Amino acid sequence: MGLNIKDIAKLAGVSPATVSRVINETGNVAEEKKQRVLKVLKETGYKPNALARGLLLNKTNVIGVIVPDLSNINFAEFVKGIENEAKLNGLGVLLTTSENDTDSEISYFQLFKEKRVDGIIFSGTIFTEKHREELEKADIPFIVFGQWFEHYKLICVNIDNEKAAYEATKYLISKGAKNLSMIMGPLWDRSAGYDRYSGFLKAVVEGGISPKDVVLEEGDFTIKSGYRAMKRILEKKNVDGVLAANDFMALGAIKYLVDMGMMIPDEVQIMGFDDNMISEIYNPSLSTVKINFYEAGRICVKAFVDRINNKPIENNILLPYELVIRGSTK
Amino acid sequence: MGLNIKDIAKLAGVSPATVSRVINETGNVAEEKKQRVLKVLKETGYKPNALARGLLLNKTNVIGVIVPDLSNINFAEFVKGIENEAKLNGLGVLLTTSENDTDSEISYFQLFKEKRVDGIIFSGTIFTEKHREELEKADIPFIVFGQWFEHYKLICVNIDNEKAAYEATKYLISKGAKNLSMIMGPLWDRSAGYDRYSGFLKAVVEGGISPKDVVLEEGDFTIKSGYRAMKRILEKKNVDGVLAANDFMALGAIKYLVDMGMMIPDEVQIMGFDDNMISEIYNPSLSTVKINFYEAGRICVKAFVDRINNKPIENNILLPYELVIRGSTK
DNA sequence: CACTCTCTTGAAAAGCTTTTCTTGAAATAA
DNA sequence: TTATTTCAAGAAAAGCTTTTCAAGAGAGTG
């Protein structure tokens, strides 16, 4: 209870410096004294105070993590990946959720600065100039997931959303879809929603379809918004191919189509983005662009570790993705 | 960059003690000096070093959290609840995942001790005597979620699993199920799996059904294990009512029944435990015992806060639950 | 035998904050 | 004017660890 290194030193009949040397395996210690110290260490279950250590070494072995919402299984997977990789590197994870509220996010920067975390992994829907400013003040190594943001200090980890959306749309067209539509996410600059939209458009044009003939509706990445967007789309036109900017909206769209008695994929093909557990087991199962969020989390931590170890490292890290074809497309 | 309280003091022309008094709003400070300090504080964006503060005050305002797996949406919700309530109380959350590995869990106790967290919220499938021992050594306020464990120092937060399983089974019987079966979880002592099994059995006996006529199969809480368990059950007997110890196994069971062309709920009624997003949108939707994991997380933090504030508090806290009837039962 | 080198070990400082103790000044009362 | 009280603010200690510096002992070499 409340033992410190002095107590251990006294119990082992040595100086605190020697105890420290034994614990951290630094410097030479006579075998006999070493054994005495180890014995006391074991008996007492003493653990060095990370606060004092951190204060002295200016290093906490903790990374701060900001995600929008753990209810979203993708972010839960992301955090899981972070946690597992952090564990491998002897790092602790200080977790916060922002619900995409910028003020919250900024206040977390402050929190992390106070707690002297060694680095921050940030995953919000949008990283703004204001974020950058505050970040600059805090001056902590920083990893952004899911968005590109040009800054020499920033490491960005992301997939090539435009290319992925392009390929997904190409696939729909190759399977005979002629009347295309897209359920888009919010179109912030440089956001995933935006990039996916432009990839979609690129494939449309390349497929010889006029952008005017395409139906666009916007959702907010939730199942419900997908349901409603699909409704609006069908009211405008009888489409036969739908790309949704994420799986939740795609699932909502499927639900609406099923409710309306449409045949999937015979009458309408539909494709999502992200891939989560539900997409696989849903009926019909959903074709999608699979992003490995777990792996993404691990990669973020690896990038951070490399950076603080001064290993040469790209500022923009591209994640792999994969088209997964299931029951909602031909 | 790297400013400390002395620098601030110098910039404002006062002593560090005065700066501290301004920041913490303790003691009297002349208005003029106070303004000077506040101005410097704002300009520099200085934040006190939580390590030094924690070292001195012996308090970090951080709680350690151990959950088995964030891939499980229930635990993700649980953590979300913890995080949100922690935020309200000015607490940080140090998150770890154990994958139900006892050694990992114990090593996290050590980590938390090193980091001097103010408390630990533990949610594993099983809390053993070994856990208790290590815990005793660490001597940190401790909350256990999802299991009862008699110990004067421990706060346990849980639902009455036996009662809930009893009621769920009663419901199946009341809707005409006569050939009952249960897909159980692992039967560790005092675990949720065990309590749910005994509640099931109680209702069976009370319903005038012989325990011999009941088909029992064990799973491991995953979808796949539910699928396989349902297969084994049907090979033994044509049942018309199934209680699964959690939703994932229930969903796996439904999947198997659908694959076999059985009608739900006409031929077989099925009921799960927990309630998660998938259960609601699955086809058919799953009747279940709804546990509010988000709220559970909040309650754990509240209990912790009350405990360290020396408010009188129950050592065993009972969570509410609710029977949610959907498409998989009559 | 004298000298140098290596190996051990302890003392002390640094890292940053909060709080107690003290002192000085100002204000009030006699 | 003198004595007493109140307020303001600084100095210093405590909290715990790691590392540098210095010193002492022992071994090896000429």
Side-chain angles (χ1 to χ4, degrees):
Chain A
M1 238 115 312
L3 286 178
N4 63 23
I5 201 171
K6 272 189 190 172
D7 299 320
I8 304 300
K10 206 172 286 174
L11 285 171
V14 298
S15 74
T18 300
V19 176
S20 176
R21 280 189 270 257
V22 171
I23 291 174
N24 300 298
E25 297 180 337
T26 139
N28 295 323
V29 176
E31 190 58 29
E32 183 233 4
K33 292 200 180 187
K34 188 174 167 183
Q35 292 306 328
R36 280 215 313 264
V37 171
L38 286 174
K39 189 164 166 242
V40 174
L41 246 30
K42 198 174 171 193
E43 284 170 359
T44 56
Y46 165 80
K47 291 284 162 198
N49 186 326
L51 298 173
R53 191 183 241 164
L55 184 57
L56 187 64
L57 304 182
N58 209 23
K59 197 178 166 216
T60 51
N61 292 320
V62 170
I63 47 175
V65 174
I66 304 180
V67 292
D69 183 7
L70 282 176
S71 296
N72 183 327
I73 185 73
N74 295 320
F75 287 116
E77 284 286 331
F78 179 65
V79 172
K80 182 180 172 183
I82 290 175
E83 207 279 326
N84 284 10
E85 185 67 27
K87 187 184 315 186
L88 292 178
N89 288 280
L91 297 168
V93 172
L94 198 59
L95 178 76
T96 64
T97 60
S98 68
E99 274 142 45
N100 279 319
D101 174 46
T102 302
D103 290 341
S104 286
E105 288 166 356
I106 304 285
S107 81
Y108 286 134
F109 288 1
Q110 321 271 4
L111 173 75
F112 289 154
K113 189 177 175 187
E114 265 186 52
K115 300 276 191 237
R116 298 302 197 263
V117 299
D118 293 339
I120 297 178
I121 295 176
F122 175 87
S123 160
T125 315
I126 184 160
F127 186 85
T128 67
E129 201 55 37
K130 191 174 172 195
H131 287 80
R132 194 196 51 71
E133 259 175 49
E134 289 293 328
L135 169 60
E136 199 97 357
K137 270 193 211 158
D139 193 41
I140 303 175
F142 208 88
I143 321 274
V144 176
F145 169 64
Q147 197 180 352
W148 303 118
F149 196 97
E150 291 300 325
H151 192 271
Y152 72 104
K153 271 186 180 174
L154 234 47
I155 298 177
C156 290
V157 175
N158 202 352
I159 75 160
D160 188 337
N161 280 295
E162 188 177 331
K163 184 154 165 263
Y166 169 81
E167 288 176 12
T169 311
K170 274 275 182 192
Y171 183 86
L172 288 173
I173 293 173
S174 78
K175 291 297 175 183
K178 292 195 167 51
N179 296 297
L180 288 169
S181 75
M182 177 168 182
I183 302 175
M184 309 179 295
L187 295 184
W188 290 314
D189 187 31
R190 291 157 179 277
S191 68
Y194 184 86
D195 290 345
R196 289 170 192 178
Y197 162 65
S198 44
F200 169 77
L201 220 55
K202 198 174 155 199
V204 162
V205 170
E206 209 169 278
I209 302 171
S210 165
K212 285 179 211 154
D213 296 336
V214 147
V215 186
L216 298 174
E217 284 294 336
E218 201 177 319
D220 61 5
F221 289 132
T222 62
I223 292 179
K224 278 185 184 160
S225 77
Y227 188 93
R228 288 192 295 255
M230 194 66 237
K231 184 162 185 280
R232 291 198 301 274
I233 290 171
L234 282 191
E235 282 163 6
K236 287 186 187 168
K237 187 176 179 181
N238 264 338
V239 298
D240 59 4
V242 181
L243 177 70
N246 79 341
D247 275 11
F248 289 125
M249 294 195 294
L251 290 167
I254 289 182
K255 177 104 172 122
Y256 182 76
L257 291 169
V258 169
D259 285 357
M260 292 293 106
M262 313 272 289
M263 302 294 285
I264 301 173
D266 297 328
E267 294 180 73
V268 185
Q269 298 186 72
I270 186 157
M271 191 152 225
F273 238 101
D274 291 348
D275 192 35
N276 60 45
M277 205 193 309
I278 313 178
S279 308
E280 193 177 347
I281 65 170
Y282 202 72
N283 195 1
S285 57
L286 176 64
S287 296
T288 191
V289 178
K290 182 188 184 72
I291 301 175
N292 192 331
F293 281 84
Y294 175 81
E295 205 52 35
R298 296 191 55 193
I299 287 173
C300 285
V301 175
K302 277 184 192 162
F304 162 74
V305 171
D306 285 348
R307 166 62 55 96
I308 57 170
N309 289 337
N310 289 318
K311 281 196 194 161
I313 184 177
E314 287 288 328
N315 265 23
N316 289 332
I317 297 176
L318 218 47
L319 296 173
Y321 61 88
E322 186 190 345
L323 243 61
V324 179
I325 303 306
R326 301 205 185 95
S328 67
T329 56
K330 290 178 195 165
Chain B
M1 238 117 312
L3 287 177
N4 63 24
I5 202 170
K6 272 189 191 170
D7 299 319
I8 304 299
K10 207 170 287 175
L11 285 170
V14 298
S15 73
T18 300
V19 176
S20 175
R21 280 188 270 257
V22 171
I23 290 174
N24 300 297
E25 297 181 334
T26 138
N28 295 324
V29 177
E31 189 59 27
E32 184 234 3
K33 293 201 179 186
K34 188 174 167 185
Q35 292 307 327
R36 282 216 310 264
V37 171
L38 285 174
K39 190 164 164 244
V40 174
L41 246 30
K42 199 175 171 191
E43 284 170 0
T44 56
Y46 165 81
K47 291 284 163 199
N49 186 325
L51 297 172
R53 192 183 239 164
L55 184 58
L56 188 65
L57 304 181
N58 209 24
K59 198 178 166 213
T60 52
N61 292 319
V62 170
I63 47 174
V65 174
I66 304 178
V67 293
D69 183 7
L70 282 176
S71 296
N72 183 327
I73 185 73
N74 295 320
F75 286 117
E77 284 285 332
F78 179 65
V79 172
K80 183 180 173 184
I82 289 175
E83 208 280 325
N84 284 9
E85 186 67 27
K87 189 183 315 185
L88 292 178
N89 289 280
L91 296 168
V93 172
L94 198 58
L95 179 75
T96 66
T97 60
S98 68
E99 275 142 44
N100 280 320
D101 174 45
T102 302
D103 290 340
S104 286
E105 288 165 356
I106 304 286
S107 81
Y108 286 135
F109 288 1
Q110 321 271 3
L111 174 75
F112 289 154
K113 189 178 176 186
E114 264 186 54
K115 299 277 191 235
R116 298 301 198 263
V117 299
D118 294 339
I120 297 176
I121 295 176
F122 175 87
S123 160
T125 315
I126 185 161
F127 187 85
T128 66
E129 200 55 36
K130 191 173 172 194
H131 287 80
R132 193 196 51 71
E133 258 175 48
E134 288 295 327
L135 168 59
E136 200 97 357
K137 272 193 209 158
D139 193 41
I140 303 175
F142 208 89
I143 320 275
V144 176
F145 169 64
Q147 198 181 352
W148 303 119
F149 195 97
E150 292 299 326
H151 192 270
Y152 72 105
K153 272 187 180 172
L154 235 47
I155 299 177
C156 290
V157 176
N158 203 352
I159 75 161
D160 189 337
N161 280 295
E162 187 177 332
K163 185 153 163 264
Y166 169 82
E167 287 176 13
T169 311
K170 273 276 183 191
Y171 184 86
L172 288 173
I173 294 173
S174 78
K175 291 298 174 182
K178 292 195 166 52
N179 296 297
L180 288 169
S181 75
M182 178 168 182
I183 302 175
M184 309 179 295
L187 295 185
W188 291 313
D189 187 31
R190 291 157 179 275
S191 69
Y194 184 87
D195 290 345
R196 288 171 192 179
Y197 162 64
S198 47
F200 170 77
L201 220 54
K202 197 174 155 199
V204 161
V205 171
E206 210 169 276
I209 302 171
S210 165
K212 286 178 209 154
D213 296 335
V214 148
V215 185
L216 298 174
E217 285 294 337
E218 201 177 319
D220 62 4
F221 290 132
T222 63
I223 293 180
K224 279 186 184 160
S225 78
Y227 188 92
R228 288 192 295 255
M230 194 66 236
K231 184 162 185 280
R232 292 197 300 273
I233 290 171
L234 282 191
E235 283 163 4
K236 287 186 186 167
K237 188 177 179 182
N238 264 337
V239 298
D240 59 4
V242 180
L243 177 70
N246 79 340
D247 275 11
F248 289 125
M249 294 194 293
L251 290 168
I254 290 181
K255 178 104 172 119
Y256 183 75
L257 292 169
V258 169
D259 285 357
M260 292 293 106
M262 312 272 289
M263 302 292 286
I264 301 173
D266 297 327
E267 294 180 73
V268 185
Q269 297 187 73
I270 186 157
M271 192 151 227
F273 238 100
D274 290 349
D275 193 33
N276 59 46
M277 206 194 308
I278 314 178
S279 308
E280 194 177 346
I281 65 171
Y282 202 72
N283 195 2
S285 58
L286 176 66
S287 296
T288 191
V289 178
K290 181 188 185 72
I291 301 175
N292 192 330
F293 281 84
Y294 175 80
E295 204 52 35
R298 296 191 56 195
I299 287 172
C300 285
V301 176
K302 278 184 192 163
F304 162 74
V305 171
D306 285 349
R307 166 60 56 96
I308 57 170
N309 289 336
N310 289 317
K311 280 196 195 163
I313 184 177
E314 287 288 327
N315 266 24
N316 291 331
I317 298 176
L318 218 47
L319 296 173
Y321 61 87
E322 186 190 345
L323 244 60
V324 179
I325 303 307
R326 300 205 184 94
S328 67
T329 55
K330 290 180 194 164

